[in-house]
Each structure stands twice: as structure tokens, then as C-alpha cells.
Amino acid sequence: MVVDNLSVEIREGEIFGLLGPNGAGKTTSIRMITGLLQPDSGEVMINGKRATGNDNRLNVGLCPQELVLWNNLTCREQLIFIAAMYNVRGHVAHHRADELLERMHLTEKRNRLARTLSGGMQRRLNILMALMHDPGIIILDEPEAGLDPQSRVLVREFILSLSKIKTVVFTTHNMDEAERVCDRIAIIDSGKLLVTGSPDNLKKTIGKGDVLEIMFSGNAPATSELAELSDEVKIIDSVMYFKSLAVIDKLPSIIEGLKSKDIKIKGINLRENTLEDVFISLTGKKLRD
């Protein structure tokens, strides 16, 4: 995916989420940050200085979306081997490996071949490999991909433990996970930056009020036909989204209005604003479309 004039500032010590659907340009962006891909124009700055390839290598730790493991190495050997690539050796490498394995609840697996672990454990090990040279910036590309519930909680707690100690950048299309851990978030789509801010501030950008979801069957009406029922109306697939202050008080009139248009209601759901709503408001589509 081509990145179009993307400009973001990531603050030292914060957890920064880069959100967007598949193909939005998230992975391309982190490849440029890590120096794996050179931008056609613009530059990457680290601590106020233009980053060179060596700066990226030493200052940034990357955990890619694809698992990177050596078949014949144990968990502990994986960490020590990756540390040696950054000239971290001896007691420092061994101590750091043991400490990180303990923090990610993998100590009991340290002498097992990594390829024999479950997918969730392999993902947790891959995250640790990005920290073995003690970089100031950690980039995690879809770190929750393929995780079982237990591993997802462990990874979330581990990322939160890095707050204020490391600068963490992670890409995801999971809005709920980003809302739980991020200090600030940038939402991108089709290679363009749509908005940046804290989760709370981003949710405020689409106004106060809850969201009423009404699932229906049959042909979708034009949104202009429903404008009188609520302050904001969107229709995506077979779901109508009504957004307004005190929207629950408008439910009787909304139902009557839909019945008068011969729209068959299949279900009703009332919920608070989410980051998904921010994305829908900005793009007119769901994050996973």
C-alpha cells in the first residue's frame, strides 16, 4: 500500500496505536520507521534527528506480523542468538533473556524448541526477541494476531508494563484492544492519515450520545428518508446506525418511522460510542470492510 503524505509525531514513552483496515498502509509505515523501506520523499526523525539505517537498527526493535523463529533453537537460544546480532553477548544477553522469559510467563519453556510451542507462545517469544538489544522504540505489527485469550491478556499486560519505559508503536485493526492500551491513536485508511488523538478525544470528535443499531431485512432505504428520525443516520450492510443525544428516548418514534416505511426490524442494540464509530464516521465503512 502506498502511503500518501503521512505525518505523525510519536512522543517518547507513550503507547501509540496505528489503526486501520488491512491494506491501509500500516505495515508500509513501520517498514519506513525501521529503515527496512526508504520513503520516496520525507524523512523519519528519532529524538529530533534524521534517522540513518544504523540509527533505526539500534534504536528500534521490531516484532513483525509473521513469526520469525529458528527451527533448531530453544526459546532461550532464540533470544541469545538475536541479541548476538546486535553485539549483546555474555552475561548481559543471558540475564536479559531469562528476565524477559519470566515476564512473559515462558520460563518453564525456555529449554524447549520454539517450533514445538503453541502459536500464542511463539507470538509472545517473538515479541521478546524485539527487546533483546534494549531499544528505546518497540514496534509491534499486529501483536495480538493468532493469540488465544490467555496469551492476549499476557501480551496486553506486557505492553502496558512498557509504558513510560519504552516508546511502543503497534499496528492493529482491533479497535477494542487499541482502546485498552493506547495513550494516543492514529487512524489511517488508503495510505492517508485521518485523525490522531487519545481514544477519549477521538470518541468526542463524533459528538456525544449513544449509538442505536437496528438490524433489518429487505432493501435499504435512502438515508435521506431517515434523517428526520435522528441527528445522524448511517446504513452499512443490513444495519442502520442512529446517533443522537438521548437516542433511547427517540426509540419509539424511530420504530414507528421504520414501520411506516415497511422496514422489517430484526434486532435492536444500544451501545456507547467506540473507536469503530470514529472510523465509520470518517470513512463511511466498517474497519474490517
Side-chain angles (χ1 to χ4, degrees), residues 27-271:
T27 298
T28 300
S29 299
I30 66 172
R31 284 177 178 168
M32 290 188 288
I33 295 173
T34 57
L36 295 175
L37 181 66
Q38 292 300 314
D40 295 327
S41 62
E43 56 191 6
V44 176
M45 309 283 288
I46 296 179
N47 294 327
K49 298 180 181 179
R50 184 174 183 176
T52 65
N54 194 54
D55 290 331
N56 296 91
R57 182 175 180 273
L58 295 177
N59 292 319
V60 179
L62 170 65
C63 176
Q65 185 172 352
E66 301 81 12
L67 292 172
V68 179
L69 297 169
W70 291 275
N71 286 336
N72 297 320
L73 296 183
T74 67
C75 296
R76 192 169 186 266
E77 288 170 341
Q78 303 272 346
L79 299 180
I80 294 171
F81 184 60
I82 198 74
M85 294 183 183
Y86 293 91
N87 293 318
V88 179
R89 303 177 187 275
H91 172 74
V92 173
H94 288 75
H95 176 75
R96 190 171 295 161
D98 291 338
E99 180 184 27
L100 289 173
L101 287 168
E102 182 178 1
R103 289 177 62 186
M104 199 65 97
H105 295 204
L106 290 173
T107 298
E108 293 183 359
K109 310 293 183 181
R110 64 186 181 276
N111 294 321
R112 280 186 54 180
L113 293 177
R115 61 182 168 84
T116 67
L117 300 182
S118 67
M121 289 183 179
Q122 289 180 345
R123 174 70 61 185
R124 283 147 58 188
L125 181 63
N126 247 190
I127 292 173
L128 298 183
M129 291 167 69
L131 284 95
M132 280 303 295
H133 61 297
D134 196 26
I137 302 169
I138 309 297
I139 298 182
L140 310 174
D141 192 4
E142 300 281 358
E144 77 281 1
L147 291 181
D148 56 87
Q150 180 187 24
S151 291
R152 184 174 291 111
V153 171
L154 286 171
V155 168
R156 181 191 307 147
E157 291 176 348
F158 184 78
I159 292 173
L160 288 170
S161 75
L162 297 175
S163 178
K164 314 306 179 188
I165 302 172
K166 306 284 187 184
T167 300
V168 180
V169 181
F170 78 93
T171 71
T172 183
H173 60 267
N174 187 330
M175 292 287 192
D176 293 335
E177 197 67 20
E179 190 168 349
R180 288 187 181 100
V181 302
C182 287
D183 298 308
R184 289 193 308 134
I185 289 168
I187 298 177
I188 64 174
D189 188 33
S190 300
K192 295 184 178 181
L193 176 67
L194 302 182
V195 68
T196 306
S198 70
D200 286 343
N201 285 339
L202 289 182
K203 287 187 289 184
K204 290 177 183 177
T205 63
I206 55 173
K208 297 179 180 179
D210 294 331
V211 178
L212 180 68
E213 299 176 347
I214 296 183
M215 287 65 76
F216 68 96
S217 60
N219 296 326
T223 54
S224 58
E225 298 178 36
L226 307 175
E228 62 185 27
L229 300 178
S230 181
D231 297 339
E232 181 180 335
V233 182
K234 289 185 182 294
I235 302 175
I236 300 176
D237 298 329
S238 297
V239 182
M240 292 177 281
Y241 298 87
F242 296 88
K243 187 170 184 58
S244 176
L245 288 171
V247 70
I248 190 64
D249 295 335
K250 299 180 180 182
L251 181 57
S253 60
I254 290 174
I255 292 176
E256 282 299 316
L258 295 179
K259 286 183 177 179
S260 70
K261 302 178 189 302
D262 295 324
I263 297 173
K264 185 177 179 180
I265 298 174
K266 297 180 65 177
I268 297 175
N269 183 44
L270 179 68
R271 60 177 174 80

